[in-house]
């Protein structure tokens, strides 16, 4: 497949990124996990290296590279043994900032997008609400226009980068009577009066800040409307494929990182007078994991080819998200078993991976939603034809 035919430049980028991760990220991961907080200075360091603007135009400080650089970026960050750090980075570059690039005014791009790419600003996307997750049409956060401002009231939950982030791309109802056609996107600054944020205590992803957001009579300038009023639902649907693809890359790479970590362990651990890696039953179990990862990764790479080509691959990205996230849970579960009692301790990173990987089948649309989308395309012959912008 095309994604496997990476150039020498792609490989050089991978090596540069790996060196950066070893120097600037890995030494701090355990502290970030313990503190439940990522040091924001890392984003500036990543911005200085160009890592936060891989696919963005040079006019805003980006590098304007092909999507395979982003594929490599997602893969390598997923080997940091911290799903929380990885998802925070992916939310910035692939799940929130793209809405600025594709739909925001030039003023907003210059003010906010350039800041994100430089690592000076941390962005988040605020869609999910206590009563509306994948059912975006039924969000209840409202934005009522009064002169030059929208007055926003409502709440959001499970917002990655919601506590320490600088601004949110927020889904609101500007006309509740129009259902999906009444949804708009607003850029809301974190420090605007009336905005509140509370951290959520999570099972995993401890390094990332995941927050509940409250909006109480928040005044948002009309100039902070992203794109057209009432077009937000379509914008969000168009952005989901990239979100799900990057989540799929993270999941399958996390599975592989767990396997590689386990292989290093069983090469040293002995039982009954020989290394664990020499027991046939364990060798065959490892072999099946290798095969499962390889075949799923091949399909994820196929989806990367479609993304690079500009295809709006709804079914394919849904399959990739479903298969990779489900497989990652299975792989990490089996890997932890090979550690025996040590796998149940915090002395080995496999326990952290076990906690972190579980959310993969929930974020970006649950496995149940992915299956429903696939069913609609395969059984009902629904054609999601919107072209990726």
């Amino acid at each position: 497949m095309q994604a496997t035919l990476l150039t020498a430049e792609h490989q050089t980028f991978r090596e540069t990124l790996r060196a950066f991760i070893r120097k600037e990220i890995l030494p701090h991961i355990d502290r970030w996990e313990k503190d439940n907080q990522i040091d924001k200075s890392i984003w500036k360091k990543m911005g200085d290296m160009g890592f936060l603007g891989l696919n963005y135009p040079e006019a805003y400080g980006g590098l304007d590279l092909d999507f395979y650089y982003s594929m490599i970026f997602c893969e390598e960050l997923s080997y940091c043994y911290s799903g929380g750090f990885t998802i925070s980075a992916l939310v910035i570059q692939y799940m929130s900032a793209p809405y600025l690039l594709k739909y925001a005014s030039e003023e907003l791009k210059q003010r906010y997008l350039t800041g994100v790419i430089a690592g000076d600003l941390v962005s988040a996307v605020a869609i999910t609400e206590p009563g509306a997750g994948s059912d975006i049409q039924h969000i209840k956060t409202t934005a009522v226009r009064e002169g030059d401002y929208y007055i926003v009231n409502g709440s959001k939950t499970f917002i990655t980068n919601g506590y320490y982030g600088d601004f949110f791309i927020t889904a609101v109802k500007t006309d509740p009577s129009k259902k999906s056609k009444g949804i708009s996107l607003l850029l809301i600054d974190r420090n605007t009066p009336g905005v509140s944020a509370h951290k959520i205590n999570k099972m995993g992803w401890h390094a990332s800040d995941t927050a509940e957001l409250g909006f109480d009579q928040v005044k948002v300038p009309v100039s902070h409307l992203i794109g057209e009023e009432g077009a937000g639902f379509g914008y969000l649907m168009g952005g989901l494929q990239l979100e799900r693809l990057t989540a799929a890359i993270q999941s399958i790479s996390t599975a592989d990182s767990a396997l590689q970590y386990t292989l290093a362990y069983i090469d040293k651990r002995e039982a009954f007078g020989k290394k664990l890696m020499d027991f046939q039953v364990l060798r065959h179990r490892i072999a099946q994991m290798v095969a499962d990862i390889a075949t799923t990764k091949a399909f994820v790479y196929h989806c990367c080819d479609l993304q690079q080509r500009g295809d709006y691959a709804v079914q394919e990205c849904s399959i990739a998200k479903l298969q990779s996230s489900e497989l990652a849970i299975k792989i990490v579960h089996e890997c932890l078993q090979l550690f025996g009692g040590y796998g149940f301790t915090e002395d080995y990173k496999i326990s952290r991976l076990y906690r972190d990987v579980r959310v993969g089948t929930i974020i970006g649309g649950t496995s149940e939603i992915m299956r429903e989308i696939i069913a609609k395309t395969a059984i009902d012959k629904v054609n999601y034809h919107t072209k990726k912008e």
Side-chain angles (χ1 to χ4, degrees), residues 222-244:
V222 171
S223 61
H224 281 212
L225 176 67
I226 296 176
E228 299 179 5
E229 185 173 289
F233 184 79
Y235 298 160
L236 292 172
M237 293 301 100
L240 282 175
Q241 309 324 312
L242 178 59
E243 179 175 342
R244 289 166 180 167

Side-chain angles (χ1 to χ4, degrees), residues 129-190:
E129 297 184 0
S134 298
D135 188 9
I136 299 172
Q137 295 188 56
H138 288 89
I139 63 171
K140 297 186 180 300
T141 298
T142 59
V144 179
R145 184 164 181 174
E146 294 185 3
D148 294 332
Y149 292 89
Y150 288 100
I151 307 302
V152 180
N153 288 281
S155 62
K156 301 291 180 179
T157 193
F158 304 130
I159 309 305
T160 299
N161 298 341
Y163 193 78
Y164 295 104
D166 296 295
F167 66 91
F168 321 120
I169 308 299
T170 310
V172 298
K173 280 282 183 73
T174 45
D175 188 344
S177 67
K178 293 184 178 180
K179 297 183 179 180
S180 65
K181 293 183 179 180
I183 294 175
S184 303
L185 297 185
L186 290 179
L187 188 155
I188 302 179
D189 285 299
R190 168 68 179 85

